Amino acid sequence: MPTSQNSASREPGSGGSGASGAAPGTDQGPGALVGADWLAARLGAPGLVLFDASVGAHRGADHRIPGARPFDLDGALSDHEAPAPHTMPGPAEFTEALRALGVDDGDTVVVYDGAGVYSSARAWWMLRAMGFDRAAVLDGGLPAWTAAGLPVESTGPAYAGPRGSFTARPRAGLLVGSSTVAAALADPAAAVLDARTRERFAGTAPEPRPGLRGGHMPGAVSLPFGELQRPGGLMRPAAELRETFAAVAGDRQRLYFSCGSGVTACVLALGADLAGYRELAVYDGSWSEWGMPSELPVATGPAAGPATGPATGG
């Protein structure tokens, strides 16, 4: 069956993403990525919470991995008062959502999605940003699970089990705004990596969200998230991930990630974490914020070009 070559490569809290350890009173759990075989051996075990974080066409599919609960990035687990989609909720709202889904501080969480490794990485990064390290992404997601011949069940009603005791413990700097990204673009020790397609980065393909300018942040580097994955949707081995990041970031160790709405930027964060980078941040508003008509600078073409305005924050 398909398995991850990255699984169990590192324990959470051992340094990835600036993390400072698991919640008080808990032991360490799996690494940031687990394979279908790892999950199959533990499915249904006490203290293991499985989330389906699918978005878009995969949201609300008619089948799921048995026992999966919805981590609804298009619903309760985004701030719908914010101007950009998929904005991180506040700590109180995140705490309430996770408690309503039955998560305890000492649980181990595995997240998957129906596309492979796509929106599941966003859920993993949100948990990290809220101080919860006992979380992992299922390598290859639901496609890898079904390809391995493992069981699925019909999608049932929303979770209605006991409430959990989860408490958010926000970490500063894992999710950042436009002013921080603008400073990073001017910092020779930092790299800003864009997970969108090269055509959207260059401005030759239209943005899927109306009203956004085409192009990229001057000084950003294109790294489409799919380049971190092998055929079949599994993440590339750690050594290949290190080579991929070194090819675009050089020797810079402080990495910032952007995409369309802060979702696939987290696939880059996952890949960099697996590759051993430690100073990582995701631009929460991503191009849904930066690309809106404003004084934030935009360049077009395959490489950074002349800015269209001053690098002001927002």
Side-chain angles (χ1 to χ4, degrees), residues 45-135:
L48 179 70
V49 175
L50 179 62
F51 280 132
D52 181 347
S54 300
V55 297
H58 296 282
R59 182 187 183 209
D62 62 359
H63 64 281
R64 66 188 181 192
I65 298 176
R69 307 172 193 178
F71 193 102
D72 192 355
L73 291 167
D74 290 324
L77 283 155
S78 288
D79 179 1
H80 296 280
E81 300 298 319
H86 300 132
T87 299
M88 180 77 178
E93 292 76 14
F94 193 82
T95 293
E96 170 57 27
L98 269 290
R99 287 183 178 181
L101 288 167
V103 180
D104 293 328
D105 281 328
D107 285 340
T108 295
V109 171
V110 175
V111 189
Y112 76 90
D113 66 71
V117 178
Y118 184 77
S119 49
S120 51
R122 171 70 181 184
W124 166 80
W125 190 256
M126 291 168 70
L127 287 160
R128 287 284 183 94
M130 286 296 179
F132 187 88
D133 287 329
R134 298 181 57 83

Side-chain angles (χ1 to χ4, degrees), residues 114-267:
V117 178
Y118 184 77
S119 49
S120 51
R122 171 70 181 184
W124 166 80
W125 190 256
M126 291 168 70
L127 287 160
R128 287 284 183 94
M130 286 296 179
F132 187 88
D133 287 329
R134 298 181 57 83
V137 171
L138 176 62
D139 199 9
L142 184 59
W145 180 268
T146 56
L150 293 166
V152 296
E153 66 180 10
S154 297
T155 300
Y159 174 78
R163 286 177 59 83
S165 61
F166 174 89
T167 299
R169 298 173 175 86
R171 293 189 176 108
L174 271 67
L175 289 163
V176 298
S178 58
S179 58
T180 300
V181 176
L185 289 164
D187 183 354
V192 178
L193 308 182
D194 191 322
R196 296 175 300 155
T197 65
R198 296 195 188 280
E199 292 78 14
R200 287 173 65 190
F201 181 89
T204 59
E207 285 297 310
R209 296 176 180 86
L212 298 182
R213 297 173 289 171
H216 58 269
M217 307 168 207
V221 180
S222 177
L223 180 58
F225 76 93
E227 295 187 7
L228 304 187
Q229 299 175 357
R230 295 177 282 155
L234 298 174
M235 295 294 288
R236 293 189 178 278
E240 292 183 16
L241 292 171
R242 283 192 292 271
E243 292 176 359
T244 299
F245 281 102
V248 296
D251 60 359
R252 292 173 286 184
Q253 298 296 305
R254 189 158 62 254
L255 305 182
Y256 295 79
F257 307 110
S258 181
C259 61
S261 66
V263 173
T264 59
C266 298
V267 179

